[in-house]
């Protein structure tokens, strides 16, 4: 299942740290900086059996007036990269 913008910054960062490695573009502070510069950001939690399995922070950018582009820079972040392929489906 997908849930958008449901975590606090502390919860988001805690889950990111549990992944071991993640790109700074997925850090909460990166999204906050983008929003302070006029951008939009949304953060998704992807869950399986009510357990988070991945995080994805999207930068939303408007082009040509009405066209919206969602960029997931260097993401998503898998929270258990050692999970088997079957577990990730």
């Amino acid at each position: 299942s997908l849930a958008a913008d449901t975590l606090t910054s502390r919860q988001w960062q805690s889950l990111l740290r549990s992944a071991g490695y993640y790109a700074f573009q997925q850090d909460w502070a990166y999204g906050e900086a983008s929003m302070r510069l006029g951008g939009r950001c949304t953060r998704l939690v992807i869950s399986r059996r009510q357990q988070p399995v991945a995080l994805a922070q999207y930068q939303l950018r408007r082009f040509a007036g009405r066209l919206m582009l969602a960029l997931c820079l260097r993401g998503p972040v898998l929270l258990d990269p050692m999970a088997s392929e079957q577990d990730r489906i």
Side-chain angles (χ1 to χ4, degrees):
S1 68
L2 292 175
D5 301 321
T6 57
L7 298 179
T8 66
S9 62
R10 184 172 286 186
Q11 292 168 321
W12 182 268
Q13 290 301 115
S14 176
L15 285 171
L16 276 182
R17 282 191 299 276
S18 76
Y21 169 81
Y22 63 91
F24 77 95
Q25 291 93 339
Q26 293 297 310
D27 194 278
W28 186 278
Y30 187 91
E32 289 298 305
S34 174
M35 289 190 287
R36 287 189 181 139
L37 294 171
R40 291 178 56 198
C41 174
T42 192
R43 298 171 179 99
L44 299 178
V45 179
I46 299 100
S47 299
R48 183 168 187 253
R49 298 182 185 141
Q50 287 100 28
Q51 293 298 313
V53 295
L55 300 175
Q57 178 169 253
Y58 284 85
Q59 306 300 311
L60 306 172
R61 299 188 182 157
R62 187 169 297 280
F63 292 96
R66 301 188 96 170
L67 181 64
M68 181 71 73
L69 180 63
L71 302 168
C72 184
L73 303 170
R74 313 246 345 178
V77 176
L78 299 178
L79 300 179
D80 186 2
M82 300 307 290
S84 71
E85 184 66 29
Q86 181 62 31
D87 288 342
R88 286 189 249 156
I89 297 176

